[in-house]
Amino acid sequence: MSTAKLFDLTGKTAMVTGGGSGLGRIMALALAEAGANVAVCSRRLEVCEKVVQEIEVLGRQALALALDVTDPESVRQGVDKVISHFGKVEILINSSGTVYETPATEMPLKQWLEMIDTNVTGTFLMCQALGRHMIENEYGKIINISSSIGFKGTDPEAVDSVGYTTSKGAVMTLTKDLAVKWGRHGLTVNSIAPGVFQTGMNNPEIPGTLVQKAGPIIASQVPVRRLGEDNDIAGAVLYFASAASDYCTGQILVVDGGLGAK
Ligand SMILES: NC(=O)c1ccc[n+]([C@@H]2O[C@H](COP(=O)([O-])OP(=O)(O)OC[C@H]3O[C@@H](n4cnc5c(N)ncnc54)[C@H](OP(=O)(O)O)[C@@H]3O)[C@@H](O)[C@H]2O)c1
């Protein structure tokens, strides 16, 4: 296969949770640019519809749907709808996620559960629902978005969310375990662990986000001296979504400008 073909997604279909905003939107557009048709889902249908319009401009087919990853019935219906619309789904990106910042001693159970439900259970339910379909077809590429702060402890001044860091660590273990269990069925299951990206839940215009609080300080500590940008996540997702990564599974690709290497 030629090197260009390795990354070509023509004829493939991807489903992207959280695809209506932030990193999910950027990854949905990157997959479409590489040739894939894309189903874009999250709870807010209207934001997904906007991304579908952007994908259609690229000449690909796209479908927007409202889906709550914490609700097994919503996941089942959404996955069934995407499979019946496109016939086959080869790529799943789990980008849905949520964060609440509250000191560990004060964190209400409701916040903890919402982060675990969305970030861990939601990722599992999507992997399970589309995993069955992919196993039947003996082919699938699953990419779970974790976080560079899911590896270890984080100073409360940076991100004060024990529920979030715990959930992202769990996403990494879920990824590795499914990779081992499903490799024999033709699936790869990998994770991207982004560092600090100036988008989505790190929007510099939203008070209290990490980038709004300390964007320039963080950028000055990152070895490559900047925050994450669109192309950084696009390149990572294309690797895991394409034939380029066929011999790579159960891996966590940290995209953090080298911060975790310090
Ligand atoms: N930006 C960063 O610096 C950064 C760093 C590390 C990791 N991450 C991870 O990257 C992923 C995307 O985050 P982002 O920065 O792009 O923020 P974002 O724009 O807020 O994306 C989160 C997405 O999750 C969706 N979502 C939340 N709860 C959901 C639910 N119950 N069911 C379905 N969808 C749900 C939201 O859409 P609805 O509200 O419409 O449901 C939204 O599209 C997250 O997993 C996040 O933890 C981000």
Side-chain angles (χ1 to χ4, degrees), residues 15-260:
M15 185 166 182
V16 183
T17 77
S21 68
L23 300 182
R25 173 183 160 272
I26 294 161
M27 291 187 282
L29 291 170
L31 297 171
E33 277 191 41
N37 298 320
V38 187
V40 180
C41 60
S42 78
R43 293 165 302 179
R44 291 167 299 156
L45 183 60
E46 65 283 5
V47 294
C48 298
E49 284 171 339
K50 280 195 189 142
V51 176
V52 159
Q53 285 169 11
E54 292 183 271
I55 292 170
E56 285 170 347
V57 168
L58 298 169
R60 311 289 173 238
Q61 293 175 48
L63 177 72
L65 63 158
L67 185 154
D68 183 343
V69 296
T70 67
D71 175 356
E73 189 52 27
S74 174
V75 168
R76 190 190 63 75
Q77 283 180 11
V79 166
D80 284 354
K81 192 172 171 187
V82 173
I83 293 170
S84 71
H85 184 87
F86 290 103
K88 210 173 177 187
V89 180
E90 291 91 352
I91 301 159
L92 166 64
I93 316 292
N94 282 306
S95 189
S96 287
T98 200
V99 62
Y100 289 101
E101 287 209 56
T102 311
T105 48
E106 314 300 327
M107 179 165 284
L109 181 61
K110 191 171 178 299
Q111 288 185 359
W112 167 273
L113 289 176
E114 200 179 315
M115 288 185 275
I116 299 296
D117 282 352
T118 308
N119 303 354
V120 187
T121 310
T123 302
F124 165 67
L125 290 173
M126 288 299 305
C127 288
Q128 185 184 50
L130 263 176
R132 290 187 189 114
H133 169 76
M134 290 171 170
I135 288 169
E136 259 174 41
N137 292 322
E138 297 177 341
Y139 184 85
K141 296 271 181 188
I142 297 178
I143 299 136
N144 298 324
I145 307 306
S146 54
S147 171
S148 61
I149 63 169
F151 286 104
K152 51 190 180 185
T154 306
D155 286 329
E157 295 78 15
V159 180
D160 207 0
S161 184
V162 68
Y164 183 78
T165 49
T166 303
S167 72
K168 292 300 184 177
V171 168
M172 295 183 201
T173 307
L174 171 69
T175 298
K176 290 180 195 173
D177 202 25
L178 291 180
V180 172
K181 290 176 165 61
W182 291 352
R184 69 197 71 182
H185 300 297
L187 278 65
T188 62
V189 188
N190 290 292
S191 177
I192 299 170
V196 183
F197 279 67
Q198 206 168 187
T199 187
M201 58 179 61
N202 262 332
N203 188 328
E205 282 154 30
I206 299 176
T209 66
L210 183 58
V211 171
Q212 191 266 337
K213 283 187 294 188
I217 297 168
I218 296 165
S220 73
Q221 291 167 1
V222 173
V224 306
R225 295 290 188 268
R226 64 173 175 82
L227 301 178
E229 294 170 4
D230 295 6
N231 283 345
D232 303 318
I233 197 85
V237 83
L238 285 184
Y239 173 63
F240 280 145
S242 67
S245 62
D246 278 355
Y247 200 57
C248 180
T249 193
Q251 299 307 306
I252 318 295
L253 178 55
V254 181
V255 184
D256 70 346
L259 195 57

